[in-house]
């Protein structure tokens, strides 16, 4: 798909999903999963209210909301759920009550510093009701009797989620997890499910997939708990690495949160990519790297919890902490659809890096290979015209020749491709010499075709060949 | 005991011990051990002259001294042992001899750069006699016949030492070793035995002791050799960590000498405490850290010798190398009794750190715990008034909440409490966020009470729970 | 041998070897090996043309050259092989042809930037003929008919090489490898075989050799492949460490290329020596350290190839990359014979370091040894005249005393001599305190004589004595 077409497709899907009032349970969540199911083969799961999950979690009652408004002393609607679904505290119990302004204020939520923003407030596990409004509206409220009306239900229902699995050559898995439980907000959260959906379709088109890819769409926290309750053991066996996708909009650099281990496969690829030296190399995704911090974030906190410690990082762009976060100002203008497309491009490359990285084995490792036999070595020791002449008659240029010598020397079962690619950094200060693993693909393919190299293998599959 | 009372008690004991003429053997040593026995339940040991000890050491003859003086040409006493016991070379053989000033000078010891100081000279293993005096006295000596008189004995006797053992929940031991063999000097050495004695009584009052504490009082070097000869194998089995106490007076910061391993439990605690970021946190002992250097020091040289390599460091305050060291100027004014009290406080905290550090295990490790059930998590995602509001209804504040999340995430059997506490350093530059393990005690106790956490365990007791 | 005599001997050998037209095979190589055989007991080997070697290498045809010249339009000889053997492309096929200047130019090689230099050109595996000449000659060539005449042969013959083995106390081997295949050039290559030859005779005179030394003389690349084909398995078993010797002339510092492992025994010794702090200590060889880079270099690329990964580094002085490299300007004036003598001195010390480094064991490790019994410890704790007095009566000075205490404390089976010697660096900033392992030899010998120390052992022979 050409970029422009894909951007149009993303926008179409965005516009369908944005208005829906999602929560961690309920019809909004189900409708959103239905729509995603039109794009990818989503397998659906549901767990009943009251089901015991991991640790001490239980599936809560399902929340449904039909109508909600607040009328002022003059009978005019101050806020209306049908105008913006953020106006109601998510999981509000039903109410139909008249109260004075003073009484009412306990149930009102605003952000004085952002008078134009409706805040996003939730109270999943403590029964509450409330309205969220722009502070500039709040400031104009006058004394008198108010009518608060919320027509909602908390009832025995279910928790819904889905996943789509894209098989590969091995059953080692890459987990791509994103969440679907926020009402009308764009960066947090629609960016995540949108990027995941289109990423799935990119990977589907790859000719080879070394890994099996597991895309999961869950309500945040309780959905991760439910998913781990059902699939945790399975993941423990097969998981190779993974990413939580969140906050992937915004015209800014990527922002990656390390796994708790800090040395998971995805950490290694991202650390290899996100280097200043690549800033001018527009083929390599770049960004900022954050430590794993359990104090905030998303479902990586569960994937990386003490008992799982999965090799799962988190990829974001305009990461939580921005002023519009969790407000009505987190909208389409804030993110731009183009940036979602960029996130898909970037994350696809990170996954490409995961595919490519690994342990390669030189098939003729005793002394250097006589490369001129393979048309990979100059047949004279002298060049009349700089290095160029020497390479005139062979299949590669000088830079690729250097990659080949480096690769064959270090492909001994002890060095990952990243480690080999980064040898150059140790040797030369000059950034022009630096190689990224994506730039090795060409010579790897040549050497594999000529029978000189095999790989990539997993670490546990190889031994130092010189031992 | 209130600080002021303890200071008075320390001073009382100081004043009784200071005047005694100690040496590595003899009545002064025995008398000193007797006095300490009034304060703590000291078990006493003695080894006979001529007994073979470790390596090639043998218990020397016991030294006793009764009287000693040097008379000048006019019959006046130039120096008298009864004025100051440093006036006689420690272990001097008896002498009763008249000599010219020129002859005498071979037997006189002074410090020209410190004309007011009587130096401390010993010759335990080579037979010598001599007098030590202030250089200003020495300079006034005039020609004529002098009378040197030392009434001393070197005889078959014994080497004395003692220890006091404070049992704990496990038989893993903490060694507190200090030496008792110097005549009237305050910092080196009386500070050591005084601090050890009062420290024993502090620890006796602790409600729980994870470790068994072994306090030993020995003459330096030969006493350590004798102690290791008898108890070395026992220590090899049970020793967890330990400290040699020396030079603990003076209005200056602590000064810690690492064990030879450099990563012993006590090294880790002291390194965790002695950080610049804690300089303004008066609850955390602070000071300077020295490398283990075998070229000088005290009995840690034996505990850390090639064949033992015990995890024993050395804690000092005004450490050897100060001008008054090994002279009569090393006295009560130099040290201040208050600083001894401070040393007791500080070392007690280091031991508290040893007790607290270790491996904790999250009892509900699969995903985050649903902490709101335990009144440890805010029940709303929004705060009208900064973070404060969200924590109004629960048992902890925001800082403690962060400690809990960090602890539960990392309490997986692979991270010591120190490592967990120092995670914060990796995450935040802002010093205010830094935590010391002593500051975790409150939340650890809450989590243990609620059944969410167990520990501390020793490293060998735990395995990564995610494996 | 006095330095001046050795320098004369080196020059004599240089003058015999320099004029010979060597190549990777042929009579020039054999004659050169014959001459070296007069100096050291060289065992000779040969492999027939067409023999399959490692990987995909085959012994090429042997090259012999008898006569070669290029005549100009006026019949005068423009270049003549008998003037300088670099004038002919090495491995040129025979030719006897008349051509125009334009036709001829395809067969001429010059260096425009170095108009005085005849370049060194080879084409071992692709059939070619050609002449190399000074660019200033080339520029004067006028139009007309030229006569190119090369009387050479490529025939079934053999590849020659040799080695000389110097046995030691153990069969662990040190490999010294140098190459012999370049025509008349001085730094690259005659410096290597010359240094190796005289180094052999130095080592022969050592009273003890812990290691067996294997000196090998081979044509570069194909010779290394042939040697590894025959002796590779043997080396894999016995090799302890080694050096490729190349480019060892020139009035400049040493220049060492690390092994691919980077932590081989020879790497450790060279890193220990080549420190700025030793720059003023003329007893310690000094120089620059390069990374192992497989992109260029000499036979270390084969020794360190993926399947061998031998602990072999490369020692050079004026290392390849200098302007005169591979030209007729690489001659006796460039290198100076004195610098070859310096290289022999330096490399002998590196080998001495390899002999000396290892694991020593304190024979009385439980507590400090009572060193005064061995006349190694002052018998009084006081010095009237600085530290000097205290050491007046004993066998060592204060610096050696510090070395002894350090050595005995750390000689526990876990610390190599280098690690022990470098403890000082950790302790003291003052460079005067820094010790080199060569400076420990004196006290090691004293301690060994007195029965207090044993060693050096190999790492696999020792265990931590405190465990």
């Amino acid at each position: 798909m050409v970029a422009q077409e894909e951007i149009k497709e993303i926008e179409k899907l965005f516009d369908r999903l944005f208005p829906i009032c999602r929560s961690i349970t309920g019809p909004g969540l189900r409708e959103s999963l239905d729509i995603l199911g039109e794009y990818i083969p989503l397998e659906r799961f549901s767990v009943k209210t009251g089901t015991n999950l991991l640790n001490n979690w239980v599936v809560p009652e399902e929340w449904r909301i039909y109508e909600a408004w607040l009328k002022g002393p003059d009978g005019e609607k101050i806020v209306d759920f049908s105008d913006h679904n953020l106006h109601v505290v998510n999981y509000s119990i039903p109410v139909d009550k008249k109260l004075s302004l003073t009484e009412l204020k306990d149930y009102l939520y605003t952000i004085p510093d952002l008078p134009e923003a409706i805040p996003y407030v939730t109270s999943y596990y403590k029964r509450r009701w409330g309205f969220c409004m722009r502070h500039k509206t709040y400031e104009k409220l006058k004394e008198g009797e108010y009518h608060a009306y919320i027509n909602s239900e908390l009832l025995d229902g279910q928790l819904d989620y889905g996943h789509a699995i894209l098989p590969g050559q091995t059953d080692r898995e890459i987990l791509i997890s994103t969440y679907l439980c926020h009402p009308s907000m764009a960066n947090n959260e629609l960016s995540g499910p949108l990027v995941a959906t289109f990423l799935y379709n990119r990977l589907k088109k790859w000719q080879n997939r070394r890994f099996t890819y597991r895309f999961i769409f869950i309500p945040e926290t309780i959905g991760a708990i439910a998913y781990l309750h059902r699939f945790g053991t399975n993941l423990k066996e097969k998981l190779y690495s993974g990413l939580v996708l969140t906050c992937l909009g915004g015209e800014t650099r990527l922002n990656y949160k390390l796994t708790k281990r800090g040395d998971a496969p995805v950490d290694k690829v991202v650390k290899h990519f996100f280097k200043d030296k690549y800033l001018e190399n527009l083929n390599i995704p770049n960004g900022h790297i954050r430590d794993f911090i359990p104090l905030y974030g998303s479902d990586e906190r569960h994937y990386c919890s003490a008992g799982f410690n999965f090799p799962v990082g988190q990829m974001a762009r305009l990461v939580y902490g921005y002023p519009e976060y969790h407000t009505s100002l987190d909208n389409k203008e804030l993110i731009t659809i183009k940036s979602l497309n960029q996130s898909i491009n970037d994350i696809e490359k990170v996954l490409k890096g995961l595919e490519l990285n690994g342990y390669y084995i030189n098939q003729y490792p005793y002394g250097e290979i006589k490369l001129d036999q393979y048309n990979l070595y100059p047949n004279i020791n002298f060049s009349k015209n700089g290095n160029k002449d020497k390479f005139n008659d062979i299949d590669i240029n000088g830079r690729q020749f250097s990659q080949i010598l480096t690769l064959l020397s270090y492909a001994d079962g002890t060095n990952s491709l990243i480690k080999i690619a980064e040898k150059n950094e140790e040797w030369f200060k000059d950034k022009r010499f630096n190689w990224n693993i994506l730039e090795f693909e060409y010579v790897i393919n040549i050497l594999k075709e000529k029978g000189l190299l095999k790989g990539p293998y997993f670490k546990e599959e190889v031994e130092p060949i010189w031992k």
Side-chain angles (χ1 to χ4, degrees), chain A:
Chain A
M1 208 185 305
V2 180
Q4 282 313 317
E5 280 178 50
E6 196 182 57
I7 288 169
K8 275 182 203 162
E9 288 292 315
I10 299 170
E11 183 157 18
K12 215 167 97 186
L13 181 52
F14 180 93
D15 290 343
R16 286 177 73 189
L17 290 170
F18 189 78
I20 300 168
C21 179
R22 280 168 292 276
S23 182
I24 55 171
T25 61
L29 170 60
R30 276 191 292 276
E31 187 191 346
S32 301
L33 288 167
D34 289 345
I35 292 172
L36 291 180
E38 299 173 21
Y39 287 75
I40 55 175
L42 206 59
E43 193 179 352
R44 297 278 290 270
F45 302 89
S46 64
V47 203
K48 289 210 171 106
T49 295
T51 308
N52 285 312
L53 301 176
L54 283 181
N55 278 347
N56 34 22
W57 292 82
V58 177
V59 176
E61 286 179 299
E62 187 178 314
W63 184 60
R64 299 185 190 171
I65 179 150
Y66 308 102
E67 188 186 356
W69 42 253
L70 177 69
K71 285 191 184 161
D74 305 333
E76 85 291 5
K77 281 190 181 161
I78 311 285
V79 298
D80 191 335
F81 173 70
S82 68
D83 289 339
H84 204 302
N85 55 33
L86 289 182
H87 276 316
V88 174
V89 168
N90 206 289
Y91 256 73
S92 274
I93 55 174
V95 71
D96 185 358
K97 199 174 180 182
K98 305 204 171 168
L99 352 64
S100 70
L101 180 58
T102 312
E103 287 168 325
L104 178 66
K105 281 187 171 175
D106 282 350
Y107 302 92
L108 300 184
Y109 299 88
T110 70
I111 306 173
D113 290 345
L114 276 182
E116 297 284 346
I118 312 165
Y120 168 51
V121 181
T122 70
S123 183
Y124 302 133
Y125 300 104
K126 166 144 182 166
R127 299 263 164 145
R128 270 199 179 86
W129 66 268
F131 289 94
C132 307
M133 60 177 68
R134 295 176 180 85
H135 195 69
K136 68 171 191 186
T137 310
Y138 177 90
E139 282 185 312
K140 288 180 194 148
L141 296 180
K142 45 193 181 192
E143 293 299 330
E145 191 186 65
Y146 286 78
H147 185 182
Y149 177 76
I150 299 178
N151 179 8
S152 69
E153 276 186 293
L154 282 165
L155 73 172
D156 280 356
Q158 65 188 49
L159 176 82
D160 294 272
Y161 60 89
H163 73 198
I165 291 173
L166 203 50
Q169 290 158 347
T170 72
D171 67 353
R172 304 294 299 273
E173 288 191 4
I174 304 286
L175 172 73
I176 303 293
S177 176
T178 191
Y179 51 90
L180 198 60
C181 57
H182 290 60
S184 299
M185 283 170 293
N187 189 42
N188 179 42
E189 75 182 20
L190 266 189
S191 68
L194 288 169
V195 167
T197 298
F198 284 82
L199 192 63
Y200 178 97
N201 285 311
R202 293 268 188 103
L203 270 55
K204 202 175 147 190
K205 283 182 210 136
W206 285 2
Q207 291 204 320
N208 295 303
R209 284 182 299 275
R210 195 171 151 215
F211 301 107
T212 293
Y213 288 84
R214 177 186 292 258
F215 285 78
I216 84 173
F217 300 81
I218 48 179
E220 209 176 5
T221 305
I222 185 71
I225 297 290
Y227 197 88
L228 287 166
H229 183 71
R230 176 148 180 182
F231 295 104
T233 308
N234 186 65
L235 284 170
K236 214 157 188 166
E237 271 169 40
K238 298 186 181 167
L239 194 61
Y240 180 72
S241 201
L243 280 174
V244 167
L245 303 188
T246 179
C247 297
L248 282 160
E251 302 286 337
T252 174
R253 296 203 304 163
L254 289 175
N255 196 311
Y256 176 71
K257 176 177 180 177
L258 293 164
T259 73
K260 198 166 82 178
R261 301 161 176 232
D263 64 350
V266 63
D267 297 321
K268 287 178 181 164
V269 169
V270 173
K271 285 178 187 171
H272 177 62
F273 283 5
F274 286 15
K275 291 187 169 165
D276 285 349
K277 67 178 185 179
Y278 292 130
L279 278 174
E280 288 161 44
N281 184 340
L282 300 179
N283 290 317
I284 312 301
N286 217 304
H288 175 71
I289 296 180
R290 286 166 285 154
D291 283 314
F292 177 85
I293 300 183
L295 308 184
Y296 30 72
S298 183
D299 290 329
E300 71 281 357
R301 286 160 59 181
H302 306 287
Y303 297 130
C304 298
S305 62
F308 291 118
N309 198 20
F310 284 161
V312 173
Q314 181 226 72
M315 189 64 83
R317 191 169 284 277
L318 176 58
V319 76
Y320 38 81
Y322 52 96
E324 301 86 351
Y325 174 77
H326 270 196
T327 76
S328 58
L329 302 182
D330 185 345
N331 56 29
K332 198 170 164 185
E333 286 67 45
L334 181 74
I335 59 164
T336 83
I337 300 295
K338 200 177 141 230
S339 73
L340 300 184
N341 178 255
Q342 185 61 44
S343 293
I344 297 162
N345 294 343
D346 290 345
I347 298 168
E348 186 182 13
K349 280 179 184 167
V350 169
L351 298 177
K352 198 88 189 159
L354 276 166
E355 292 270 328
L356 214 50
N357 192 26
Y359 293 79
Y360 292 83
I361 303 288
N362 178 343
Q363 300 298 299
Y364 294 87
Y366 300 105
E368 281 185 5
I369 295 174
K370 195 159 186 301
L371 287 170
D372 59 333
Q373 286 185 201
Y374 302 93
N375 214 26
L376 299 171
Y377 201 96
N379 54 49
I380 190 168
N381 80 330
F382 189 82
S383 173
K384 294 186 178 188
N385 184 15
N387 262 334
K388 269 192 180 165
D389 274 12
K390 280 164 70 178
F391 290 92
N392 274 349
D393 298 333
I394 60 173
D395 292 349
I396 48 167
N397 61 34
R399 185 177 166 87
Q400 288 158 349
F401 175 63
S402 296
Q403 289 179 335
I404 286 175
L405 287 186
T406 304
L407 195 50
L408 291 177
S409 182
Y410 288 93
D412 65 357
T414 71
N415 301 292
S416 71
L417 183 61
I418 286 180
K419 205 168 158 195
I420 294 173
E422 294 187 349
K423 286 286 163 194
N424 239 266
E425 288 179 39
E426 299 170 21
W427 303 337
F428 304 116
K429 303 267 180 238
D430 189 332
K431 282 190 218 167
R432 287 170 306 171
F433 285 101
N434 291 138
W435 299 321
N436 185 278
I437 56 169
L438 297 182
E439 296 169 329
F440 270 78
E441 200 173 9
Y442 179 76
V443 299
I444 286 172
N445 287 338
I446 288 183
L447 293 174
K448 285 171 80 169
E449 274 163 32
K450 292 182 190 269
L452 302 177
L453 193 74
K454 286 190 179 171
Y457 297 101
F458 294 109
K459 193 172 178 58
E460 57 274 20
E461 292 177 320
V462 292
E463 301 227 324
I465 57 177
W466 43 269
K467 267 220 172 134

